[in-house]
């Protein structure tokens, strides 16, 4: 029997933070060897916000280095760039013709932007259908993501249903995998960790950068326990372990931040070292091989799509 299929993607919109790591990359890493696995760099998605070509080029290489340093073996997963497989944008268009404007208006990424009084570009509006194409082209069963992407996986299921109903069964309906306790990793201010809130702890930052972020965690002076520090610390230790540390250091916020810093460093230091040994050339090779493999799969699926919709 063939293996089930796992798929996830991250935008190359800057350095990854520990929210990306615990919410998506680690859940992928923990199980990817049991599946037929794909790990994508969502470069076309990042165009909805990023408009600097040098930065996009640099970020794309960087995010693949992050994947490799975190432990993804390119022999055991297809690592590729979304833009290497034009079938993604082609299929997105077909899905866009199947769903209504009303339905897309309900998507969080778009709704949040509009709620802030900002003008969204059409790419951001159609974003969930590109993500549906990413997932559905590879007959994906499971999509490890953070909670903020749950709705987008629901949209992918809806796109699959709509297509199957209109043209006959072709797409599998995927399921999101959101790991309890890490679905929404909090940032240094207690809100969801996100680059746009400037509250991140970088996964591959220098020791100084990580120290600055951890020591800058917002604490209020009312309780014995600094909740924002504790909430991040929970990613690294069990409640029982934390109970002891926080009891011993009651009211000593600086000590507690230093204890957290030590735990973050213990995770990051070996990854940082590994990352330094990965060259741009290695990344180029991984992306070339991954791009070819993904393209071959997507092309086969797309020719079925074209047949079913009646353009060939
Ligand atoms: P992106 O690049 O915003 O985030 C990458 C992954 O990190 C997760 N994440 C978090 N998880 C927990 N706590 C947080 N604070 C946190 N911040 C981010 C996200 O949920 C995500 O899983 N649209 C996607 C990229 C994408 C994709 C796909 C994902 C494109 N195509 C197909 C899965 C399948 C995005 O913008 O993620």
């Amino acid at each position: 029997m063939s293996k089930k299929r796992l798929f996830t993607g991250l935008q190359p919109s800057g350095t990854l933070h520990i929210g990306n790591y615990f919410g998506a990359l680690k859940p992928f890493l923990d199980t990817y060897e049991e599946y037929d696995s794909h790990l994508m760099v969502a470069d076309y998605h990042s165009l909805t916000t990023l408009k600097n070509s040098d930065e996009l080029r640099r970020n794309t290489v960087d995010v693949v280095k992050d994947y490799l340093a975190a432990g993804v073996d390119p022999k055991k997963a297809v690592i590729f760039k979304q833009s290497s497989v034009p079938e993604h944008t082609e299929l997105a268009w077909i899905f866009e013709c199947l769903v209504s404007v009303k339905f897309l208006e309900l998507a969080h990424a778009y709704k949040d932007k509009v709620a802030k009084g900002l003008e969204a570009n059409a790419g951001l509006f159609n974003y969930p259908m590109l993500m549906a194409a990413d997932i559905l082209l590879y007959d994906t069963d499971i999509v490890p993501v953070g909670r903020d992407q749950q709705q987008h996986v629901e949209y992918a299921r809806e796109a699959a249903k709509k297509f199957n109903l209109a043209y006959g069964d072709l797409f599998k309906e995927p399921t999101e995998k959101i790991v309890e306790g890490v679905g929404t990793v909090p940032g240094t201010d207690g809100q969801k960790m996100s680059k746009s809130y400037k509250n991140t702890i970088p996964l591959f930052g220098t020791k100084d950068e990580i120290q600055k972020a951890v020591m800058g965690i917002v604490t209020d002076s009312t309780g014995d326990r600094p909740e924002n520090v504790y909430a991040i610390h929970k990613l690294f230790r069990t409640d029982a372990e934390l109970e002891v540390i926080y009891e011993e250091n009651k009211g000593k916020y600086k000590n507690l931040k230093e204890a957290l810093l030590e735990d973050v460093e213990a995770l990051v230091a070996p990854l940082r070292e590994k990352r330094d040994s990965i060259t741009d050339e290695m990344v180029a090779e991984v992306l070339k091989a991954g791009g070819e493999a993904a393209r071959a799969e997507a092309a086969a699926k797309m020719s079925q799509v074209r047949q079913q919709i009646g353009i060939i």
Side-chain angles (χ1 to χ4, degrees):
M1 220 178 80
S2 61
K3 282 183 177 174
K4 287 206 167 198
R5 312 195 115 221
L6 193 74
F7 186 106
T8 201
L10 293 91
Q11 288 194 49
S13 47
T15 50
L16 295 187
H17 52 70
I18 65 166
N20 300 131
Y21 178 73
F22 284 103
L25 199 49
K26 186 164 184 296
F28 178 88
L29 264 164
D30 287 345
T31 52
Y32 83 106
E33 292 177 60
E34 297 158 31
Y35 293 89
D36 203 337
S37 295
H38 293 73
L39 181 55
M40 187 187 75
V41 181
D43 53 354
Y44 272 154
H45 273 114
S46 72
L47 287 185
T48 59
T49 49
L50 185 60
K51 313 289 177 194
N52 179 312
S53 55
D54 287 337
E55 224 178 289
L56 178 56
R57 236 173 254 126
R58 188 66 251 158
N59 288 353
T60 301
V61 174
D62 280 347
V63 82
V64 176
K65 287 189 178 178
D66 294 351
Y67 292 167
L68 300 176
V72 184
D73 180 346
K75 291 193 198 74
K76 295 180 180 161
V78 177
I79 300 177
F80 73 105
K81 264 193 318 193
Q82 192 178 34
S83 60
S84 302
V85 185
E87 284 79 2
H88 289 231
T89 43
E90 184 181 355
L91 183 58
W93 171 254
I94 294 163
F95 290 152
E96 281 155 31
C97 295
L98 285 166
V99 298
S100 68
V101 167
K102 265 210 168 65
F103 176 66
L104 290 178
E105 274 172 351
L106 298 173
H108 296 314
Y110 172 76
K111 229 168 65 174
D112 293 351
K113 190 124 193 173
V114 173
K116 284 187 192 133
L118 300 168
E119 193 179 31
N121 56 48
L124 188 74
F125 186 69
N126 290 321
Y127 177 126
M129 292 302 103
L130 179 56
M131 184 157 156
D134 300 338
I135 296 169
L136 299 181
L137 266 175
Y138 300 92
D139 291 331
T140 302
D141 296 286
I142 313 276
V143 189
V145 280
R147 178 83 52 202
D148 62 349
Q149 296 298 321
Q150 177 172 22
Q151 189 198 36
H152 290 150
V153 183
E154 286 163 8
Y155 271 52
R157 281 200 288 278
E158 196 56 30
K161 273 198 197 100
K162 285 249 158 59
F163 184 98
N164 293 345
L165 193 66
Y167 298 112
D169 277 354
L170 181 63
F171 289 113
K172 214 185 244 182
E173 288 181 34
T175 309
E176 63 276 25
K177 177 184 165 195
I178 299 170
V179 178
E180 206 48 55
V182 294
T184 308
V185 171
T188 55
D189 58 358
Q191 294 187 79
K192 184 191 101 167
M193 187 174 288
S194 164
K195 218 161 308 116
S196 50
Y197 300 152
K198 301 195 179 355
N199 64 358
T200 62
I201 298 177
L203 179 61
F204 291 99
T206 61
K207 201 171 174 187
D208 283 353
E209 283 164 347
I210 293 177
Q211 179 167 17
K212 196 165 161 234
V214 170
M215 292 324 233
I217 296 176
V218 178
T219 49
D220 66 29
S221 52
T222 50
D224 287 336
R225 197 167 89 176
E227 292 303 334
N228 293 340
V229 181
Y230 191 88
I232 298 174
H233 219 158
K234 266 176 77 99
L235 301 166
F236 295 88
R237 288 183 183 271
T238 62
D239 279 329
E241 288 173 326
L242 290 180
E243 217 45 62
V244 177
I245 300 171
Y246 280 69
E247 190 51 40
E248 272 174 11
N249 293 284
K250 226 178 191 169
K252 298 180 189 152
Y253 291 4
K254 186 159 176 282
N255 291 5
L256 290 168
K257 284 182 178 177
E258 276 163 1
L260 170 60
L261 180 60
E262 227 171 82
D263 286 339
V264 178
E265 262 300 302
L267 166 76
V268 169
L271 305 187
R272 196 192 284 132
E273 205 170 300
K274 184 163 173 203
R275 194 180 186 285
D276 287 343
S277 69
I278 301 166
T279 62
D280 289 7
E281 290 68 32
M282 286 158 84
V283 169
E285 267 173 43
V286 165
L287 286 179
K288 184 168 182 292
E292 284 166 4
R295 182 96 208 260
E297 290 176 76
K301 191 78 182 176
M302 243 353 257
S303 68
Q304 289 177 284
V305 173
R306 293 190 202 105
Q307 186 74 43
Q308 280 186 225
I309 64 173
I311 55 171
I312 49 170

